[in-house]
Amino acid sequence: MDTRPTLLVIAHGSRDPRHAAAVSALCARVRALRPGLRVEVGYLDFNAPRVPRVLERLAAEGRREVVALPLLLTRAFHAKSDIPAVLREAAARLPLLSVRQAEVLGPSPLLTAALERRLEEAGLRPGDRRSTGVVLASAGSSDPEAIAVIAEIAREWRHTAGWCAVRPAFASASLPRTADAVRALRAEGVDRVAVAPYVIAPGFLPDRIAAGARETGADVLAPVLGPAPELARLLLRRYDASVLDRARGDLTALSA
């Protein structure tokens, strides 16, 4: 048996079948990048298998270590509360299974690289950047930390990529909405407006982002990140960091 910790990707889940399909495609790309690594998917809601069932199956198979990686772009409620609670409950029932929660995916230069890939696929050319304003459209959150992170990503992305403007927008919980951000860029005289969904999988909120872009006549609407190769590499980077942190902790304990 492979002794490496199993990678358990934890997705929120959705009634929209496109969501699970995108998550499956992303995990397939991760497996292709790291042959032999056991990669499982568990959902918090709506889809099967749910996270507790996956952990029970892994424990029954004799697996002893799991890296639980939230498929989330910011540290908000699910990363801070929902997922830790599910993992604690499972740990109490499965004492022989060690589960370590990895960091969320964002922020990361790999994510902005994936956003740029999707914008190019939607028709933007490198020479368009200085005349293009981008709406960085995320799902939204009531967590001030998550909102601040999105705003900082927008500022940094404008600085490093050379867009004439980058504005954050949110599909829920926070303002502005995508349509408002597009209108604001138009009012400033921006020649070309592109909407870049900062979301991983299709679903209700990404559809709301797309509707806002179409409603206001955005010139470019990129697809969601989905199984972008940069995103797959980022999952493995977070997995490796968690495994390394665990190894360092074990060494510290041995030397104490």
Tab-separated table of all heavy atoms in Angstrom, residues 166-206:
chain	number	residue	atom	x	y	z
A	166	VAL	N	-8.630	46.873	-12.066
A	166	VAL	CA	-9.211	45.604	-11.611
A	166	VAL	C	-10.117	45.931	-10.433
A	166	VAL	O	-9.665	46.514	-9.440
A	166	VAL	CB	-8.141	44.579	-11.189
A	166	VAL	CG1	-8.824	43.292	-10.710
A	166	VAL	CG2	-7.183	44.272	-12.323
A	167	ARG	N	-11.378	45.577	-10.553
A	167	ARG	CA	-12.357	45.861	-9.512
A	167	ARG	C	-12.918	44.563	-8.944
A	167	ARG	O	-13.333	43.690	-9.701
A	167	ARG	CB	-13.510	46.684	-10.088
A	167	ARG	CG	-13.137	48.084	-10.536
A	167	ARG	CD	-12.790	48.954	-9.318
A	167	ARG	NE	-12.491	50.312	-9.717
A	167	ARG	CZ	-13.400	51.261	-9.924
A	167	ARG	NH1	-14.664	50.981	-9.771
A	167	ARG	NH2	-13.022	52.471	-10.276
A	168	PRO	N	-12.955	44.421	-7.619
A	168	PRO	CA	-13.608	43.244	-7.043
A	168	PRO	C	-15.121	43.370	-7.127
A	168	PRO	O	-15.673	44.478	-7.103
A	168	PRO	CB	-13.125	43.266	-5.584
A	168	PRO	CG	-12.868	44.712	-5.302
A	168	PRO	CD	-12.394	45.317	-6.593
A	169	ALA	N	-15.791	42.239	-7.223
A	169	ALA	CA	-17.252	42.182	-7.189
A	169	ALA	C	-17.661	40.868	-6.552
A	169	ALA	O	-16.860	39.931	-6.457
A	169	ALA	CB	-17.839	42.315	-8.599
A	170	PHE	N	-18.926	40.797	-6.124
A	170	PHE	CA	-19.371	39.645	-5.342
A	170	PHE	C	-20.771	39.228	-5.781
A	170	PHE	O	-21.633	40.074	-6.019
A	170	PHE	CB	-19.369	40.000	-3.850
A	170	PHE	CG	-18.041	40.555	-3.394
A	170	PHE	CD1	-17.834	41.928	-3.360
A	170	PHE	CD2	-17.002	39.717	-3.063
A	170	PHE	CE1	-16.602	42.447	-2.964
A	170	PHE	CE2	-15.769	40.222	-2.672
A	170	PHE	CZ	-15.569	41.591	-2.628
A	171	ALA	N	-20.975	37.933	-5.866
A	171	ALA	CA	-22.275	37.413	-6.285
A	171	ALA	C	-23.271	37.350	-5.139
A	171	ALA	O	-24.477	37.235	-5.371
A	171	ALA	CB	-22.107	36.023	-6.902
A	172	SER	N	-22.795	37.407	-3.904
A	172	SER	CA	-23.689	37.333	-2.742
A	172	SER	C	-23.010	37.962	-1.536
A	172	SER	O	-21.792	38.171	-1.527
A	172	SER	CB	-24.042	35.872	-2.419
A	172	SER	OG	-22.880	35.177	-1.963
A	173	ALA	N	-23.807	38.296	-0.546
A	173	ALA	CA	-23.353	38.711	0.789
A	173	ALA	C	-22.671	40.071	0.844
A	173	ALA	O	-22.773	40.771	1.846
A	173	ALA	CB	-22.434	37.658	1.420
A	174	SER	N	-21.961	40.455	-0.200
A	174	SER	CA	-21.205	41.704	-0.192
A	174	SER	C	-21.463	42.482	-1.477
A	174	SER	O	-21.979	41.950	-2.456
A	174	SER	CB	-19.706	41.424	-0.059
A	174	SER	OG	-19.438	40.620	1.061
A	175	LEU	N	-21.083	43.731	-1.443
A	175	LEU	CA	-21.196	44.610	-2.611
A	175	LEU	C	-19.812	45.107	-2.995
A	175	LEU	O	-18.919	45.143	-2.159
A	175	LEU	CB	-22.125	45.790	-2.288
A	175	LEU	CG	-23.588	45.432	-1.979
A	175	LEU	CD1	-24.340	46.689	-1.535
A	175	LEU	CD2	-24.264	44.791	-3.191
A	176	PRO	N	-19.619	45.489	-4.282
A	176	PRO	CA	-20.616	45.612	-5.344
A	176	PRO	C	-20.888	44.289	-6.046
A	176	PRO	O	-20.086	43.368	-5.984
A	176	PRO	CB	-19.948	46.599	-6.305
A	176	PRO	CG	-18.487	46.288	-6.168
A	176	PRO	CD	-18.291	45.978	-4.713
A	177	ARG	N	-22.000	44.227	-6.747
A	177	ARG	CA	-22.296	43.106	-7.615
A	177	ARG	C	-21.520	43.263	-8.928
A	177	ARG	O	-21.002	44.332	-9.243
A	177	ARG	CB	-23.798	43.047	-7.908
A	177	ARG	CG	-24.640	42.768	-6.676
A	177	ARG	CD	-24.483	41.318	-6.227
A	177	ARG	NE	-25.436	41.006	-5.157
A	177	ARG	CZ	-25.107	40.920	-3.877
A	177	ARG	NH1	-23.853	41.115	-3.511
A	177	ARG	NH2	-26.009	40.639	-2.968
A	178	THR	N	-21.488	42.201	-9.689
A	178	THR	CA	-20.765	42.222	-10.962
A	178	THR	C	-21.256	43.345	-11.871
A	178	THR	O	-20.454	44.087	-12.451
A	178	THR	CB	-20.927	40.865	-11.677
A	178	THR	OG1	-20.423	39.824	-10.841
A	178	THR	CG2	-20.183	40.854	-13.005
A	179	ALA	N	-22.568	43.474	-12.008
A	179	ALA	CA	-23.122	44.501	-12.894
A	179	ALA	C	-22.699	45.897	-12.445
A	179	ALA	O	-22.376	46.756	-13.277
A	179	ALA	CB	-24.642	44.388	-12.936
A	180	ASP	N	-22.686	46.131	-11.128
A	180	ASP	CA	-22.284	47.445	-10.616
A	180	ASP	C	-20.826	47.746	-10.958
A	180	ASP	O	-20.479	48.876	-11.312
A	180	ASP	CB	-22.474	47.507	-9.100
A	180	ASP	CG	-23.928	47.321	-8.688
A	180	ASP	OD1	-24.808	47.743	-9.463
A	180	ASP	OD2	-24.177	46.745	-7.614
A	181	ALA	N	-19.969	46.735	-10.832
A	181	ALA	CA	-18.548	46.935	-11.121
A	181	ALA	C	-18.320	47.198	-12.608
A	181	ALA	O	-17.488	48.032	-12.987
A	181	ALA	CB	-17.747	45.718	-10.664
A	182	VAL	N	-19.067	46.503	-13.467
A	182	VAL	CA	-18.954	46.752	-14.909
A	182	VAL	C	-19.388	48.178	-15.229
A	182	VAL	O	-18.707	48.905	-15.966
A	182	VAL	CB	-19.803	45.738	-15.712
A	182	VAL	CG1	-19.827	46.113	-17.193
A	182	VAL	CG2	-19.254	44.322	-15.541
A	183	ARG	N	-20.518	48.603	-14.652
A	183	ARG	CA	-20.995	49.971	-14.900
A	183	ARG	C	-19.997	51.010	-14.416
A	183	ARG	O	-19.788	52.046	-15.072
A	183	ARG	CB	-22.345	50.178	-14.205
A	183	ARG	CG	-23.500	49.385	-14.798
A	183	ARG	CD	-24.820	49.810	-14.185
A	183	ARG	NE	-25.904	48.941	-14.612
A	183	ARG	CZ	-26.401	47.965	-13.869
A	183	ARG	NH1	-25.924	47.725	-12.648
A	183	ARG	NH2	-27.394	47.219	-14.330
A	184	ALA	N	-19.373	50.755	-13.276
A	184	ALA	CA	-18.399	51.711	-12.738
A	184	ALA	C	-17.205	51.860	-13.673
A	184	ALA	O	-16.717	52.971	-13.915
A	184	ALA	CB	-17.944	51.271	-11.346
A	185	LEU	N	-16.735	50.752	-14.226
A	185	LEU	CA	-15.615	50.828	-15.171
A	185	LEU	C	-16.025	51.556	-16.446
A	185	LEU	O	-15.257	52.348	-16.999
A	185	LEU	CB	-15.112	49.416	-15.490
A	185	LEU	CG	-14.360	48.706	-14.357
A	185	LEU	CD1	-14.109	47.237	-14.702
A	185	LEU	CD2	-13.034	49.408	-14.061
A	186	ARG	N	-17.238	51.301	-16.923
A	186	ARG	CA	-17.731	52.011	-18.102
A	186	ARG	C	-17.779	53.523	-17.822
A	186	ARG	O	-17.394	54.336	-18.675
A	186	ARG	CB	-19.132	51.526	-18.466
A	186	ARG	CG	-19.207	50.083	-18.923
A	186	ARG	CD	-18.758	49.944	-20.349
A	186	ARG	NE	-19.102	48.621	-20.882
A	186	ARG	CZ	-18.371	47.955	-21.738
A	186	ARG	NH1	-17.239	48.482	-22.182
A	186	ARG	NH2	-18.743	46.781	-22.184
A	187	ALA	N	-18.269	53.887	-16.628
A	187	ALA	CA	-18.397	55.297	-16.293
A	187	ALA	C	-17.050	55.996	-16.231
A	187	ALA	O	-16.955	57.214	-16.438
A	187	ALA	CB	-19.125	55.445	-14.948
A	188	GLU	N	-15.993	55.229	-15.955
A	188	GLU	CA	-14.644	55.789	-15.905
A	188	GLU	C	-14.007	55.876	-17.294
A	188	GLU	O	-12.874	56.342	-17.430
A	188	GLU	CB	-13.766	54.943	-14.995
A	188	GLU	CG	-14.180	55.020	-13.534
A	188	GLU	CD	-13.408	54.039	-12.664
A	188	GLU	OE1	-12.424	53.437	-13.165
A	188	GLU	OE2	-13.791	53.873	-11.496
A	189	GLY	N	-14.728	55.423	-18.301
A	189	GLY	CA	-14.219	55.511	-19.664
A	189	GLY	C	-13.309	54.380	-20.080
A	189	GLY	O	-12.563	54.512	-21.062
A	190	VAL	N	-13.358	53.243	-19.381
A	190	VAL	CA	-12.528	52.092	-19.746
A	190	VAL	C	-12.992	51.549	-21.100
A	190	VAL	O	-14.189	51.338	-21.322
A	190	VAL	CB	-12.602	51.000	-18.658
A	190	VAL	CG1	-11.887	49.739	-19.109
A	190	VAL	CG2	-12.011	51.514	-17.359
A	191	ASP	N	-12.057	51.331	-22.005
A	191	ASP	CA	-12.392	50.907	-23.364
A	191	ASP	C	-13.022	49.523	-23.409
A	191	ASP	O	-13.961	49.282	-24.160
A	191	ASP	CB	-11.135	50.902	-24.250
A	191	ASP	CG	-10.615	52.298	-24.526
A	191	ASP	OD1	-11.391	53.261	-24.346
A	191	ASP	OD2	-9.442	52.425	-24.919
A	192	ARG	N	-12.466	48.608	-22.660
A	192	ARG	CA	-12.885	47.207	-22.726
A	192	ARG	C	-13.039	46.680	-21.306
A	192	ARG	O	-12.173	46.888	-20.467
A	192	ARG	CB	-11.851	46.370	-23.482
A	192	ARG	CG	-12.216	44.918	-23.688
A	192	ARG	CD	-11.071	44.150	-24.356
A	192	ARG	NE	-10.799	44.659	-25.700
A	192	ARG	CZ	-9.781	45.454	-25.998
A	192	ARG	NH1	-8.930	45.855	-25.056
A	192	ARG	NH2	-9.590	45.874	-27.239
A	193	VAL	N	-14.149	45.986	-21.042
A	193	VAL	CA	-14.405	45.437	-19.710
A	193	VAL	C	-14.496	43.920	-19.805
A	193	VAL	O	-15.262	43.382	-20.615
A	193	VAL	CB	-15.690	46.004	-19.084
A	193	VAL	CG1	-15.962	45.340	-17.731
A	193	VAL	CG2	-15.584	47.518	-18.914
A	194	ALA	N	-13.719	43.239	-18.979
A	194	ALA	CA	-13.730	41.777	-18.920
A	194	ALA	C	-14.136	41.330	-17.521
A	194	ALA	O	-13.725	41.936	-16.526
A	194	ALA	CB	-12.347	41.224	-19.257
A	195	VAL	N	-14.937	40.299	-17.467
A	195	VAL	CA	-15.351	39.718	-16.179
A	195	VAL	C	-14.641	38.388	-16.002
A	195	VAL	O	-14.751	37.494	-16.853
A	195	VAL	CB	-16.875	39.543	-16.108
A	195	VAL	CG1	-17.269	38.801	-14.828
A	195	VAL	CG2	-17.574	40.902	-16.173
A	196	ALA	N	-13.899	38.277	-14.899
A	196	ALA	CA	-13.144	37.059	-14.590
A	196	ALA	C	-13.737	36.416	-13.338
A	196	ALA	O	-13.495	36.891	-12.227
A	196	ALA	CB	-11.671	37.396	-14.369
A	197	PRO	N	-14.530	35.362	-13.482
A	197	PRO	CA	-15.094	34.704	-12.299
A	197	PRO	C	-14.001	34.041	-11.455
A	197	PRO	O	-13.278	33.168	-11.938
A	197	PRO	CB	-16.046	33.657	-12.890
A	197	PRO	CG	-16.344	34.149	-14.273
A	197	PRO	CD	-15.063	34.786	-14.729
A	198	TYR	N	-13.900	34.469	-10.218
A	198	TYR	CA	-12.932	33.893	-9.275
A	198	TYR	C	-13.646	32.791	-8.498
A	198	TYR	O	-13.840	32.848	-7.293
A	198	TYR	CB	-12.414	34.997	-8.354
A	198	TYR	CG	-11.228	34.626	-7.495
A	198	TYR	CD1	-10.019	34.235	-8.052
A	198	TYR	CD2	-11.304	34.699	-6.100
A	198	TYR	CE1	-8.931	33.928	-7.258
A	198	TYR	CE2	-10.219	34.403	-5.299
A	198	TYR	CZ	-9.044	34.010	-5.885
A	198	TYR	OH	-7.948	33.705	-5.095
A	199	VAL	N	-14.077	31.797	-9.236
A	199	VAL	CA	-14.795	30.646	-8.675
A	199	VAL	C	-14.283	29.389	-9.371
A	199	VAL	O	-13.804	29.443	-10.507
A	199	VAL	CB	-16.318	30.775	-8.833
A	199	VAL	CG1	-16.875	31.885	-7.968
A	199	VAL	CG2	-16.691	31.007	-10.292
A	200	ILE	N	-14.413	28.265	-8.702
A	200	ILE	CA	-13.834	27.024	-9.223
A	200	ILE	C	-14.790	26.267	-10.118
A	200	ILE	O	-14.406	25.803	-11.199
A	200	ILE	CB	-13.365	26.143	-8.052
A	200	ILE	CG1	-12.190	26.820	-7.335
A	200	ILE	CG2	-12.956	24.754	-8.550
A	200	ILE	CD1	-11.766	26.140	-6.054
A	201	ALA	N	-16.036	26.148	-9.692
A	201	ALA	CA	-16.963	25.271	-10.412
A	201	ALA	C	-18.253	26.009	-10.750
A	201	ALA	O	-18.647	26.943	-10.048
A	201	ALA	CB	-17.269	24.034	-9.570
A	202	PRO	N	-18.932	25.589	-11.808
A	202	PRO	CA	-20.214	26.209	-12.157
A	202	PRO	C	-21.256	25.980	-11.067
A	202	PRO	O	-21.136	25.081	-10.236
A	202	PRO	CB	-20.613	25.492	-13.449
A	202	PRO	CG	-19.368	24.858	-13.966
A	202	PRO	CD	-18.539	24.542	-12.760
A	203	GLY	N	-22.301	26.809	-11.100
A	203	GLY	CA	-23.375	26.685	-10.134
A	203	GLY	C	-24.189	27.965	-10.081
A	203	GLY	O	-24.077	28.835	-10.950
A	204	PHE	N	-25.000	28.089	-9.045
A	204	PHE	CA	-25.932	29.214	-8.930
A	204	PHE	C	-25.212	30.559	-8.891
A	204	PHE	O	-25.568	31.485	-9.634
A	204	PHE	CB	-26.787	29.027	-7.671
A	204	PHE	CG	-27.701	30.182	-7.382
A	204	PHE	CD1	-28.828	30.412	-8.162
A	204	PHE	CD2	-27.433	31.066	-6.343
A	204	PHE	CE1	-29.670	31.487	-7.913
A	204	PHE	CE2	-28.263	32.137	-6.080
A	204	PHE	CZ	-29.392	32.348	-6.869
A	205	LEU	N	-24.206	30.696	-8.032
A	205	LEU	CA	-23.521	31.984	-7.910
A	205	LEU	C	-22.688	32.332	-9.148
A	205	LEU	O	-22.714	33.480	-9.609
A	205	LEU	CB	-22.682	32.020	-6.636
A	205	LEU	CG	-23.491	31.978	-5.334
A	205	LEU	CD1	-22.572	31.993	-4.118
A	205	LEU	CD2	-24.486	33.136	-5.268
A	206	PRO	N	-21.937	31.389	-9.725
A	206	PRO	CA	-21.283	31.704	-10.996
A	206	PRO	C	-22.259	32.106	-12.094
A	206	PRO	O	-21.957	32.983	-12.912
A	206	PRO	CB	-20.553	30.405	-11.340
A	206	PRO	CG	-20.287	29.772	-10.014
A	206	PRO	CD	-21.504	30.085	-9.190
